[in-house]
Amino acid sequence: QVQLQQSGPGLVKPSQTLSLTCAISGDSVSSDSAAWNWLRQSPSRGLEWLGRTYYRSKWYMDYAVSVKSRITIKPDTSKNQFSLQLNSVTPEDTAVYYCTRAGGRQWLGNFLEYWGQGTLVTVSS
Amino acid sequence: EIVLTQSPGTLSLSPGERASLSCRASQSVPNSYLAWYQQKPGQAPRLLLYGASSRATGIPDSFSGSGSGTDFTLTISRLEPEDFAVYYCQQYGSSPYTFGQGTNLEIK
């Protein structure tokens, strides 16, 4: 059974960096049939896909255009986890952030079967 | 970017009734790569369907999906009390992978 456990601060000051980590159990971040995604949800923006990382003989990352200049998603194979960094945050980045897994035993596309518990991140001074 | 529009915004029905939720895309969704999720308050979304009509593991056959191109439908054949929630569609055929704004299925 795949489980995703999120960790990171719930309060970030404006202009600083939001950092979250997602620890994976029951699967490997290096799986060649999975992709590891970050999303967020807020009343104003709804559900928003932010980006993903995945391994297919080498590591790939792709990001939503809306955050591309500020986001980094990185795998950590030594700890079997992946992380999200979002720079220069503003109050508009206040949201519940989710880590998720797409894929599994075979790659059928980027639909999201497993989700972390969600982390409410508030951007405020 | 593919924009998904869900309708209605709110659907009020009684247990035992049939629900039909619509998801319309601003352009054709490649390969019918359309998923549906259910979300209850305080919880993460739960995958119901992928590929427009394939049920995820553990999803009862009261949930079904149809459609292709730009028009997709989620049908719940007979509503149970636990089915009242918010439902989202997501397209994963073209990056960025976008979601609809949701349909709130509430008890009448």
Side-chain angles (χ1 to χ4, degrees):
Chain A
Q1 176 74 347
V2 176
Q3 292 188 327
L4 304 176
Q5 181 66 41
Q6 298 178 217
S7 59
L11 181 63
V12 182
K13 289 182 167 40
S15 79
Q16 294 193 343
T17 297
L18 181 160
S19 296
L20 296 173
T21 298
C22 184
I24 302 162
S25 57
D27 199 352
S28 169
V29 71
S30 302
S31 166
D32 62 3
S33 59
W36 306 94
N37 294 249
W38 285 98
L39 289 83
R40 65 184 178 184
Q41 185 174 29
S42 65
S44 59
R45 304 171 75 99
L47 276 163
E48 182 182 13
W49 175 79
L50 298 176
R52 63 178 180 170
T53 185
Y54 57 97
Y55 185 76
R56 302 288 187 270
S57 302
K58 68 175 186 176
W59 287 103
Y60 293 86
M61 291 78 172
D62 63 281
Y63 302 127
V65 170
S66 60
V67 294
K68 193 167 187 175
S69 63
R70 300 192 290 133
I71 190 173
T72 303
I73 295 175
K74 283 199 308 188
D76 182 342
T77 57
S78 66
K79 296 181 180 178
N80 200 33
Q81 63 187 30
F82 63 110
S83 63
L84 166 71
Q85 286 195 327
L86 189 64
N87 302 326
S88 305
V89 297
T90 72
E92 288 198 351
D93 293 311
T94 294
V96 177
Y97 286 75
Y98 292 102
C99 62
T100 68
R101 189 198 82 171
R105 286 186 213 165
Q106 57 177 318
W107 180 253
L108 296 176
N110 207 64
F111 56 88
L112 308 164
E113 186 167 14
Y114 291 98
W115 295 65
Q117 78 275 23
T119 302
L120 173 59
V121 179
T122 301
V123 179
S124 174
S125 54
Chain B
E1 166 174 326
I2 297 178
V3 176
L4 299 179
T5 302
Q6 293 186 240
S7 60
T10 300
L11 183 58
S12 299
L13 293 171
S14 300
E17 291 193 291
R18 179 185 183 91
S20 289
L21 287 65
S22 172
C23 177
R24 180 161 291 177
S26 60
Q27 54 189 280
S28 184
V29 176
N31 303 307
S32 294
Y33 277 359
L34 194 286
W36 289 94
Y37 300 84
Q38 176 194 69
Q39 187 176 33
K40 296 180 179 178
Q43 297 183 15
R46 172 195 180 199
L47 176 68
L48 299 175
L49 301 168
Y50 61 92
S53 61
S54 296
R55 276 186 296 276
T57 304
I59 301 304
D61 59 10
S62 56
F63 289 87
S64 63
S66 63
S68 63
T70 60
D71 288 302
F72 299 87
T73 301
L74 169 68
T75 301
I76 310 172
S77 59
R78 186 177 171 84
L79 285 165
E80 301 287 346
E82 61 269 24
D83 297 334
F84 292 91
V86 180
Y87 291 83
Y88 296 96
C89 57
Q90 177 220 0
Q91 67 81 20
Y92 56 97
S94 171
S95 182
Y97 307 115
T98 49
F99 289 80
Q101 83 282 14
T103 289
N104 180 25
L105 177 57
E106 64 175 25
I107 299 178
K108 188 173 182 179

